[in-house]
């Protein structure tokens, strides 16, 4: 974000991630004792993360960036945001990484049937549309598409309860959900 100062430790991977990806145990795959393999771009919405991406990428020079983005915008946490705008911000973050010769992995948005803090938005269709755009963009640009969605979605378009989230949350993965995500990321 403009005017904000960030300090980071050396890392190999950066995740532009929402709270839903932060539960992944990065200690399982970093391979460097006493040095984090992963850092998170600051901000909880794509515009905020995009604004910090230049600073982070320039300061850390990671090998890989993993982007999981879109849910907070679909939840309208800072007001309505179009799928096209969300995708544009994801593309901008990826282009910053590409211009710095960093390997790009873009994750699918995790399923959500509703947002308890912002009910009634019917996010499942928007998430499916955004995931299709992300996958097409990755395919067209030679980026890795990390598809968490397919293995975690239920028949209604939500995150599977109780397998991967609780019935009072519906959005954030539980321990088993994070394990699925972690294992997917480890094997890239």
């Amino acid at each position: 974000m403009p005017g904000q100062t960030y300090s980071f430790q050396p890392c190999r991977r950066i995740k532009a991630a929402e709270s839903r990806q932060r539960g992944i145990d990065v200690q399982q795959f970093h391979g460097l004792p006493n040095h984090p393999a992963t850092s998170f771009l600051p901000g909880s919405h794509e515009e905020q993360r995009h604004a910090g991406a230049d600073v982070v990428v320039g300061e850390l020079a990671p090998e890989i960036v993993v982007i999981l983005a879109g849910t907070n915008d679909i939840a309208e946490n800072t007001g309505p945001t179009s799928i096209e705008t969300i995708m544009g911000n994801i593309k901008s973050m990826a282009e910053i990484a590409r211009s710095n010769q960093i390997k790009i992995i873009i994750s699918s948005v995790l399923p959500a049937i509703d947002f308890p803090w912002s009910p009634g938005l019917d996010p499942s269709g928007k998430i499916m549309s955004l995931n299709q755009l992300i996958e097409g963009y990755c395919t067209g640009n030679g980026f890795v598409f990390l598809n968490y969605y397919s293995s975690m979605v239920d028949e209604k378009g939500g995150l599977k309860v109780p397998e991967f989230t609780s019935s009072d949350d519906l959005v954030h993965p539980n321990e088993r959900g994070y394990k699925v995500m972690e294992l997917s990321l480890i094997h890239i």
Side-chain angles (χ1 to χ4, degrees):
M1 290 176 276
Q4 188 167 350
T5 303
Y6 306 107
S7 63
F8 300 94
Q9 297 176 351
C11 73
R12 296 206 181 248
R13 300 180 188 189
I14 293 177
K15 287 186 218 160
E18 301 169 324
S19 59
R20 300 197 307 168
Q21 194 170 1
R22 292 186 178 156
I24 296 173
D25 182 3
V26 298
Q27 301 304 318
Q28 296 295 317
F29 66 91
H30 69 68
L32 297 173
N34 302 318
H35 294 309
T38 305
S39 181
F40 292 95
L41 287 178
S44 60
H45 307 283
E46 281 52 71
E47 279 186 15
Q48 293 168 338
R49 277 193 293 278
H50 176 252
D54 280 321
V55 174
V56 174
V57 168
E59 194 170 320
L60 291 176
E63 296 171 10
I64 300 169
V65 64
V66 181
I67 301 170
L68 170 59
T71 303
N72 289 323
D73 292 305
I74 291 171
E76 300 183 0
N77 289 357
T78 58
T81 306
S82 71
I83 297 299
E84 294 76 18
T85 298
I86 298 167
M87 189 64 213
N89 288 327
I90 292 169
K91 287 178 179 180
S92 294
M93 287 186 280
E95 293 305 320
I96 291 167
R98 184 196 331 239
S99 70
N100 286 278
Q101 293 78 48
I102 297 167
K103 180 179 178 179
I104 299 152
I105 300 169
I106 306 177
S107 304
S108 62
V109 178
L110 291 172
I113 195 68
D114 202 9
F115 303 117
W117 64 92
S118 191
L121 294 175
D122 191 28
S124 60
K126 295 171 190 172
I127 291 170
M128 286 178 54
S129 295
L130 182 56
N131 282 338
Q132 290 171 347
L133 291 172
I134 292 169
E135 185 173 16
Y137 176 69
C138 287
T139 300
N141 286 279
F143 302 151
V144 174
F145 177 65
L146 180 57
N147 188 352
Y148 297 136
Y149 181 90
S150 294
S151 62
M152 300 177 84
V153 67
D154 67 15
E155 67 281 351
K156 296 177 185 173
L159 195 55
K160 290 180 183 175
V161 175
E163 294 93 329
F164 303 126
T165 191
S166 65
S167 60
D168 62 338
D169 186 304
L170 301 176
V171 177
H172 296 90
N174 59 22
E175 186 176 339
R176 187 170 170 204
Y178 281 125
K179 194 61 155 174
V180 168
M181 296 169 71
E182 180 182 313
L183 290 173
S184 298
L185 192 54
I186 289 170
H187 295 305
I188 291 182

